[in-house]
């Protein structure tokens, strides 16, 4: 795993992703130069484009296992691609246009190898919003379907952001953990830059981020609210530690990395079980939210203690959960020796980091550079990620 020296010219790229919260499309218009240790990314514009309520509901239903026909699947795939293409067009308004798009798409299913299908050697992960249609609608070369190459060689295909974290957020003095708190949480542990630092990086999905909290808020408000702004509601409650301890016994938290997960595990059925477990304690809504927050931060702290080679000096939060002040405060209490900050505080936008990462992954694909980190995904080696789709105006030969 040797950093390479590739001569590059600054490239304007759009990164697109809708994550496991299914709250909308994060779009980042960036200017990228360099390749690895000299990688530089300037964020020109970042915007979230919410899905229509109808499309969001369909996506959540498909993700939750509701049966649909192949024709309906194709229609959802194309509706997502059209929404992604519209986001890509919109983010460029008023700026020099981009020459490349990196689109993660929308995950609707993720099954790591040997989970629920012990005899199948390869995992399965499905992201909708086909890149070919995005390229067709925008006229811009589009890289998509990033996870499949890693999965095809036996990796989890997730998390994929760690290699980007490594080159944008490593430091010569500080050992860092980059902790994303989206629907699902994931960490990238980065030792200080030095000999073999890249091969010493560790990364995995820590478990629930906001997924259970959001579902609980929706349940408690009868669909009136979709999340707990700043964690204010949870902050007015008291966590039930016996429940948190009970929930932390769950297998996933004890599985050694590399590991990945999704709403298939930490989704509606999981929350229903949590509500059943909580019934004897007669928690009020605020206590329930405080307890679920404690599960998120407890699972993060537990996984650091169990699986990191050493505690970091800094944890840099990103993703929507980094705005949840109560959650951040609770995490700081559980990690007293660590400074809990956000990636904003070291110059990388915490809301658009994932979108930026998929712009970088597309750029690396175009340069012929690998995008995965084998220590993060469990793949046997580095590999090129993403399928390239050319727009109709490009001469193919
Ligand atoms: N001000 C806020 N206060 C509390 N929570 C917030 C705030 N803003 C966003 N969030 C939480 O962040 C979530 C969205 O986070 P994000 O967009 O990072 O998730 P995602 O990218 O969909 O997920 P993943 O990273 O798992 O793919 C919201 O659903 C909400 O729970
Ligand atoms: C299958 C899938 O979409 N996984 C997401 C999810 O959301 C957070 C966590 O679980 C992470 O593993 C991944 O996304 C980021 C962008 C990644 O691949 O690094």
């Amino acid at each position: 795993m040797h950093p390479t020296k590739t001569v590059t010219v600054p490239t304007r790229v759009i990164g697109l992703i809708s994550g496991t919260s299914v709250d909308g499309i994060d779009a980042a218009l960036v200017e990228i130069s360099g390749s690895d240790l000299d990688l530089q990314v300037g964020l020109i514009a970042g915007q979230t484009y919410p899905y229509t309520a109808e499309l969001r509901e369909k996506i959540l239903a498909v993700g939750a296992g509701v049966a649909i026909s192949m024709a309906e699947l194709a229609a959802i795939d194309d509706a997502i691609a059209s929404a992604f293409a519209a986001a890509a067009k919109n983010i460029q308004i008023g700026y020099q246009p981009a020459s490349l798009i990196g689109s993660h798409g929308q995950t609707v299913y993720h099954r790591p190898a040997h989970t629920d299908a012990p005899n199948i050697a390869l995992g399965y992960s499905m992201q909708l919003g086909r890149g070919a249609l995005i390229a067709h609608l925008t006229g811009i070369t589009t890289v998509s379907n990033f996870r499949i190459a890693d999965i095809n060689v036996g990796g989890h295909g997730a998390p994929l952001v760690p290699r980007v974290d490594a080159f944008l957020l490593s430091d010569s003095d500080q050992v860092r953990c980059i902790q994303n708190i989206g629907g699902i949480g994931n960490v990238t542990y980065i030792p200080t830059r030095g000999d073999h630092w890249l091969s010493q990086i560790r990364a995995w999905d820590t478990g629930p981020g906001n997924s259970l909290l959001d579902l609980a808020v929706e349940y408690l408000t009868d669909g009136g609210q979709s999340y707990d702004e700043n964690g204010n509601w949870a902050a007015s409650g008291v966590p039930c530690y016996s429940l948190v301890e009970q929930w932390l016994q769950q297998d996933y938290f004890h599985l050694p990395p590399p590991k990945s997960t999704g709403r298939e595990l930490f989704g509606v059925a999981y929350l229903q079980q949590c509500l059943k477990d909580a019934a004897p304690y007669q928690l009020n809504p605020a206590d329930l939210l405080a307890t679920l927050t404690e599960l998120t931060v407890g699972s993060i702290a537990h996984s650091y203690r169990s699986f990191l080679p050493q505690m970091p000096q800094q944890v840099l939060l990103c993703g929507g959960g980094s705005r949840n002040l109560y959650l951040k405060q609770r995490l700081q209490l559980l990690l007293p020796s660590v400074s809990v900050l956000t990636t904003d505080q070291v110059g990388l936008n915490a809301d658009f980091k994932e979108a930026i990462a998929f712009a970088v992954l597309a750029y690396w694909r175009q340069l012929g550079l690998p995008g995965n980190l084998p220590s993060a995904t469990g793949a046997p080696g580095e590999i090129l990620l993403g399928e390239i789709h050319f727009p109709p105006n490009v001469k193919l030969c």
Side-chain angles (χ1 to χ4, degrees), residues 17-21 104-111 124-127 147 151 156-163 165 180-188 204-207 259-264 353-355 357-358 361 377:
I17 180 169
S18 172
T20 52
S21 301
H104 170 269
Q106 175 68 62
T107 296
V108 287
Y109 182 64
H110 184 71
R111 191 205 73 209
Y124 203 104
S125 195
M126 185 181 270
Q127 284 72 46
R147 301 193 189 278
I151 287 175
H156 280 248
L160 295 183
V161 160
R163 195 181 185 93
D165 284 345
N180 172 53
I181 305 181
I184 297 297
N186 60 291
V187 64
T188 307
W204 62 87
D205 287 353
T206 48
K259 57 178 176 176
S260 62
T261 189
R263 291 181 81 98
E264 295 74 21
K353 189 176 79 71
E354 286 186 339
F358 281 91
L361 289 172
T377 65

Side-chain angles (χ1 to χ4, degrees), residues 14 37 78 193 205 289 332 339 374:
I14 296 168
L37 288 174
D78 285 348
R193 281 190 185 189
D205 287 353
L289 293 178
Q332 180 65 82
S339 300

Side-chain angles (χ1 to χ4, degrees), residues 17-23 26 180-186 210 214 226-231 318-321 323-325 351 354:
I17 180 169
S18 172
T20 52
S21 301
V22 198
D23 52 347
D26 289 339
N180 172 53
I181 305 181
I184 297 297
N186 60 291
N210 300 294
D214 286 354
S226 58
Y227 72 99
D228 178 16
E229 178 97 36
N230 302 329
C318 57
R323 291 171 174 270
N324 183 326
L325 300 180
D351 292 325
E354 286 186 339

Side-chain angles (χ1 to χ4, degrees), residues 5-75:
K5 196 91 220 107
T6 306
V7 179
T8 63
V9 286
T11 308
R12 195 160 281 219
V13 190
I14 296 168
L16 302 170
I17 180 169
S18 172
T20 52
S21 301
V22 198
D23 52 347
I25 303 156
D26 289 339
L29 176 65
V30 294
E31 183 97 346
I32 311 179
S33 61
S35 54
D36 41 45
L37 288 174
D38 59 345
L39 181 71
Q40 291 205 5
V41 178
L43 178 65
I44 298 162
Q47 186 78 43
T48 300
Y49 300 94
Y51 284 127
T52 60
E54 191 194 355
L55 184 54
R56 178 169 198 262
E57 238 162 68
K58 278 187 189 163
I59 294 167
L60 286 171
V62 174
V66 169
I68 55 168
S69 68
M70 291 309 288
E72 285 165 324
L73 180 64

Side-chain angles (χ1 to χ4, degrees), residues 110-360:
H110 184 71
R111 191 205 73 209
H114 304 297
T115 313
D116 300 329
N119 299 324
I120 308 287
L122 299 183
Y124 203 104
S125 195
M126 185 181 270
Q127 284 72 46
L128 296 184
R130 57 177 168 156
L133 185 58
I134 298 174
H136 193 89
L137 292 172
T138 57
I140 300 172
T141 300
T142 299
V143 186
S144 67
N145 218 5
F146 286 91
R147 301 193 189 278
I148 196 74
D150 185 271
I151 287 175
N152 287 350
V153 295
H156 280 248
L160 295 183
V161 160
R163 195 181 185 93
V164 181
D165 284 345
F167 290 118
L168 291 183
L169 291 167
S170 54
D171 191 75
S172 44
D173 294 328
Q174 302 287 321
V175 177
R176 287 176 166 165
C177 276
I178 317 306
Q179 180 68 51
N180 172 53
I181 305 181
I184 297 297
N186 60 291
V187 64
T188 307
Y189 161 86
I190 316 178
T192 51
R193 281 190 185 189
D195 290 345
H196 310 296
W197 68 284
L198 203 54
S199 62
Q200 289 164 9
I201 289 174
R202 296 288 173 269
W204 62 87
D205 287 353
T206 48
N210 300 294
S211 62
L212 301 175
L213 278 167
D214 286 354
L215 286 167
V217 168
E218 237 176 276
Y219 163 76
L220 293 169
T221 61
D222 244 341
Q225 272 172 247
S226 58
Y227 72 99
D228 178 16
E229 178 97 36
N230 302 329
N232 289 336
W233 198 358
S236 67
V238 178
C240 170
Y241 292 102
S242 321
L243 269 177
V244 177
E245 245 171 62
Q246 179 189 332
W247 291 341
L248 284 177
Q249 300 305 316
Q250 210 254 347
D251 289 352
Y252 184 78
F253 302 126
H254 299 271
L255 199 66
K259 57 178 176 176
S260 62
T261 189
R263 291 181 81 98
E264 295 74 21
L265 179 57
F266 297 109
V268 176
Y270 199 96
L271 178 71
Q272 275 163 358
Q273 186 57 48
C274 290
L275 292 174
K276 267 192 203 155
D277 295 342
Y281 294 89
Q282 298 188 319
L283 305 181
N284 66 36
D287 293 346
L288 177 69
L289 293 178
T291 308
L292 288 170
T293 306
E294 211 62 20
L295 174 64
T296 292
V297 295
S299 65
I300 292 169
H302 172 271
S303 82
Y304 287 10
R305 294 211 172 83
S306 307
F307 306 122
L308 286 181
Q310 68 176 98
M311 268 294 164
Q313 285 143 303
Q314 295 179 330
V315 171
L316 305 181
L317 298 180
C318 57
S322 66
R323 291 171 174 270
N324 183 326
L325 300 180
Y326 174 67
L327 186 154
K328 197 175 163 203
Q329 207 180 53
R330 297 304 305 175
L331 186 63
Q332 180 65 82
L333 278 171
L334 290 187
L335 300 172
S337 66
V338 175
S339 300
V340 177
L341 309 167
T342 66
T343 60
D344 290 309
Q345 287 167 280
V346 299
L348 188 62
N349 189 294
D351 292 325
F352 293 101
K353 189 176 79 71
E354 286 186 339
I356 293 169
F358 281 91
V360 173

